[in-house]
Amino acid sequence: MDDTHRGTSPADRFNVAQAVSGEPSDVPALMRDIGGRARLAARRLAIATAEEKNEALRAMAARIRDASAAILSANAEDVAEAKAKGQTSAFLDRLTLNPERVESIAAAVESIAALPDPVGRVLATFERPNGLRIERVATPLGVIGVIFESRPNVTADAGALCLKAGNAAILRTGSESFRTSLAIAEAMGQGLSDAGLPADAIRLVPTRDRAAVGAMLSGLEGNIDVIVPRGGKSLVARVQDEARVPVFAHLEGICHVFVHAKADLEMAKRIALNAKMRRTGVCGSAETLLVDRACAATHLKPLVAMLLDAGCAVRGDEAAQAADPHVTPATEEDWRTEYLDAIISVRVVDGLDAAIAHIETYGSHHTDSIVTGDAAAAERFMAEVDSAIVLHNASTQFADGGEFGFGAEIGIATGRMHARGPVGVEQLTSFKYRIRGSGQTRP
Amino acid sequence: MDDTHRGTSPADRFNVAQAVSGEPSDVPALMRDIGGRARLAARRLAIATAEEKNEALRAMAARIRDASAAILSANAEDVAEAKAKGQTSAFLDRLTLNPERVESIAAAVESIAALPDPVGRVLATFERPNGLRIERVATPLGVIGVIFESRPNVTADAGALCLKAGNAAILRTGSESFRTSLAIAEAMGQGLSDAGLPADAIRLVPTRDRAAVGAMLSGLEGNIDVIVPRGGKSLVARVQDEARVPVFAHLEGICHVFVHAKADLEMAKRIALNAKMRRTGVCGSAETLLVDRACAATHLKPLVAMLLDAGCAVRGDEAAQAADPHVTPATEEDWRTEYLDAIISVRVVDGLDAAIAHIETYGSHHTDSIVTGDAAAAERFMAEVDSAIVLHNASTQFADGGEFGFGAEIGIATGRMHARGPVGVEQLTSFKYRIRGSGQTRP
């Protein structure tokens, strides 16, 4: 920190104009300051009541509504810059806000207030022979760093989810939605203050400088407890490679539907169609259809025809190619590819074991489904496929926190540590042991 | 791998004589091989039944008993080398086995077989409006790396705990118990084979080369899911600094007893004495006694006198020094010191808030206790002290998996991710979601 700014923190010195212009600045000092403030805010949040947090969430929603004009104006600048840079129309559509979209951002924050409080839940209790009463009780995790691409709504969603679980959040948005996200974050900070909670509890990184991401991945000197990346594969891969703190993420969703010998054909068609085509760009969409050789004679051709009819390109092994002339050859690489598009790879496998082996070899431990009338085969599939979510007779597109009843999710994790599957507010908590005695000492 | 050994894995080529002599060898290839084999073994263990795992544990115990002579002979070599190197008598005592100690190692493995199976527990169930039945069910974590100092029993304890939870274990022992640990690990491998499980499921790193530790900390190319260090502060600090995978550990146990204004003096004396002096070398022993100024006039002098009488050195603030001439001055450094010895620091604080502030400033988030008759003060202390274990009217020495009823623990964790407090077999598991449907597709 230089002398002329003595008494002013680096965070205070930042302003939007400076940040947007990319003017050189002391990013490491800024990020250290943000980390320290987040930790202090987290200590306050850890003892906040459910009602304090919910009041803050409702105040944030109100402040977002009040700031609608400012948010839309900031967004117009972001959109203009993105247009000038030649972004695609799909990108511009995701970036562009209108009054209805601002309202839905505010409403989403309110809906998080309505969820049950995940902190303070008694997860287990045991009374010991010596009379000690031990409770495992849910606590906040601490400070959560969220790194996301240019989706304006994530600023509000992620900040609100972290707050609900008593955590401070340090948010890093993609460059293209920087002004919009700053305007939303400012409204959220005002809402926190309105409710008597520290505005530092939700903080957008106020610079586009890429060095800020590296600082977050280093953990800000112990002041970030976990990082959640939300975005494409390259963002997640970088975070997973470089983060020195735990990461809740999935790199990709190479999801499978396995049509077992005992599958009902109509159900298999319905599930395969929905798993692939309901939305092709989501992580829970199916990328590979495996068909049991024992039912291929009856099931393969109708399944392939149904997918082709629905406008899906089909890449298949020899059996699938034989089923329809429109099937193109699948290469080894296809089994490892997350298309995120109306393309599916189709393979005939020799029974349950071969299906499991294929999924364990090529899958991404995200979400996999078996269609079968054979309960024992289903149980084996669900036991042996090592994925966060395994389904029997249901579409892989149910891989979503909302569909699980979690209310909202910050992402889906495929790691095995702490959180796995949809990461809702419960997964954003840790726990502690509370022990109540009457003077016990240990023999 | 060089041509002359084609067809033989690096792991097979290692032998004890070579490893002990420190002869140069291809440690990276060896460790890669061990990691790959552990992952394959973990896949088999993930679908092992409780009875298969328990049969293996009982067979391991039997093989350890059968190998008693070989284990004792290996141990004699380790002890002779340690003596020649001038190790302390306390060190040699911990290192030295006799027939009774081998029997207790075997019995400990059997006792782990008797614990409930932590895998397959249904942790939560929810039925959705669309009829989907969702279960969160416990699964193994995968491959656990355990790095420990020269305690022969840890080889068996850690391997058995990991196996019970369906995990493969890669064990790295301290150099001084290398031969002993190898002999124990060999017996465990035989027990696994006896029960039809892969011997690779529990593997001692067969070299003293320190490069093996670095390889483990790197995660062996994704083949180690979590590292558990067991040993002194320098070992844990190195692991926490360098590991690229999650770590379950505590760096130190700076545990506090806070005697609140409303504490019963006799109970406070009993708890303080036990917390400090029952065993001074364990992580749950108290290092600092905080006394509320509101009861210092009546409680401080008797507490200090009791500790001094028990043979404990007391370092105190001015008030504590005034209470007894044998109290020496405490420095700022004392509040941050884990003595692991018959020494305690004593400070008078201005009430509950000051006690919590002291613990949050100087503590290590391990185990802290309040003595008070005031239930509201106790609840605030247990809510606001951010430690893995918080107690009311009980000794900090209860910080132990056995005392929690966990049967056994692999260590105590102070991090907030995944495991916290005593890490027993339940904390060595992850989970997945199993979803059972009847053809549901997502709208």
Side-chain angles (χ1 to χ4, degrees), chain B residues 1 5-14 29-30 33 37 203:
Chain B
M1 234 184 287
H5 290 95
R6 191 181 289 154
T8 313
S9 85
D12 293 335
R13 274 152 49 199
F14 261 75
L30 168 75
D33 183 70
R37 286 161 178 260
R203 187 67 196 277

Side-chain angles (χ1 to χ4, degrees), chain A residues 89-250:
Chain A
S89 61
F91 184 96
L92 293 172
D93 177 59
R94 285 194 298 267
L95 181 60
T96 305
L97 295 183
N98 56 35
E100 292 70 37
R101 286 186 174 183
V102 173
E103 168 54 31
S104 79
I105 287 172
V109 172
E110 277 174 339
S111 73
I112 290 169
L115 294 175
D117 194 78
V119 174
R121 285 171 303 138
V122 176
L123 306 171
T125 55
F126 16 104
E127 180 148 352
R128 303 294 305 152
N130 59 11
L132 288 179
R133 286 169 297 129
I134 304 182
E135 282 179 352
R136 182 158 57 218
V137 57
T139 64
L141 269 179
V143 180
I144 299 176
V146 188
I147 302 176
F148 51 101
E149 292 175 346
S150 295
R151 299 265 187 143
N153 62 306
V154 177
T155 310
D157 287 354
L161 279 169
C162 291
L163 182 79
K164 180 78 186 188
N167 301 298
I170 298 174
L171 309 173
R172 163 71 184 203
T173 183
S175 177
E176 296 84 355
S177 63
F178 182 69
R179 298 175 188 83
T180 313
S181 291
L182 263 185
I184 293 171
E186 192 181 335
M188 296 178 85
Q190 290 164 344
L192 284 161
S193 297
D194 293 346
L197 291 179
D200 288 327
I202 299 176
R203 188 66 195 278
L204 189 87
V205 173
T207 170
R208 286 167 153 178
D209 192 317
R210 293 178 64 90
V213 173
M216 286 178 73
L217 297 181
S218 77
L220 296 181
E221 301 179 339
N223 284 326
I224 291 185
D225 296 295
V226 61
I227 299 251
V228 182
R230 286 195 53 166
K233 191 174 167 182
S234 64
L235 168 66
V236 176
R238 180 186 170 194
V239 169
Q240 288 185 330
D241 280 354
E242 295 180 23
R244 299 306 309 260
V245 290
V247 175
F248 294 160
H250 67 273

Side-chain angles (χ1 to χ4, degrees), chain A residues 141 244 274 278 379 382 385 388 390 392-393 403 416 418 420 430-433 435-437 439 442-443, chain B residues 128 141 241 274 278 379 382 385 388 392-393 416 418 420 430-433 435-437 439 442-443:
Chain A
L141 269 179
R244 299 306 309 260
N274 185 264
R278 174 185 161 272
E379 294 305 312
M382 290 196 288
V385 170
V390 284
H392 174 208
N393 288 347
E403 293 296 323
R416 291 190 194 85
H418 196 92
R420 198 178 195 203
S430 178
F431 61 83
K432 68 174 16 167
Y433 291 97
I435 306 183
R436 295 184 177 86
R442 188 168 170 194
Chain B
R128 302 293 305 151
L141 269 178
D241 280 354
N274 186 263
R278 173 185 162 272
E379 293 306 311
M382 291 196 287
V385 170
H392 173 209
N393 289 346
R416 291 191 194 82
H418 195 93
R420 198 179 196 203
S430 178
F431 60 84
K432 70 176 10 168
Y433 291 97
I435 306 184
R436 295 184 177 87
R442 188 168 170 194

Side-chain angles (χ1 to χ4, degrees), chain B residues 332-387:
Chain B
E332 176 79 5
E333 198 49 33
D334 279 296
W335 313 125
R336 304 185 189 282
T337 300
E338 185 186 30
Y339 301 113
L340 295 171
D341 202 349
I343 307 170
I344 196 165
S345 56
V346 177
R347 186 178 200 178
V348 172
V349 292
D350 290 320
L352 179 61
D353 286 313
I356 294 169
H358 178 102
I359 293 168
E360 291 301 301
T361 303
Y362 299 106
S364 60
H365 307 292
H366 191 294
T367 300
D368 299 289
S369 178
I370 182 172
V371 185
T372 185
D374 178 341
E379 293 306 311
R380 267 200 60 209
F381 181 91
M382 291 196 287
E384 299 191 20
V385 170
D386 178 25
S387 294

Side-chain angles (χ1 to χ4, degrees), chain B residues 188-265:
Chain B
M188 296 178 84
Q190 289 165 346
L192 285 160
S193 298
D194 293 345
L197 292 177
D200 287 328
I202 300 176
R203 187 67 196 277
L204 188 87
V205 173
T207 170
R208 287 167 152 178
D209 193 317
R210 293 177 66 89
V213 174
M216 286 177 73
L217 297 180
S218 78
L220 296 180
E221 301 178 339
N223 283 326
I224 290 184
D225 296 295
V226 61
I227 300 251
V228 182
R230 287 196 52 167
K233 191 174 168 183
S234 64
L235 169 66
V236 177
R238 180 186 170 194
V239 169
Q240 288 185 330
D241 280 354
E242 296 181 23
R244 299 307 309 261
V245 289
V247 174
F248 294 162
H250 66 276
L251 187 61
E252 46 190 3
I254 301 179
C255 304
H256 299 76
V257 173
F258 170 48
V259 176
H260 177 257
K262 305 288 185 196
D264 174 80
L265 176 59

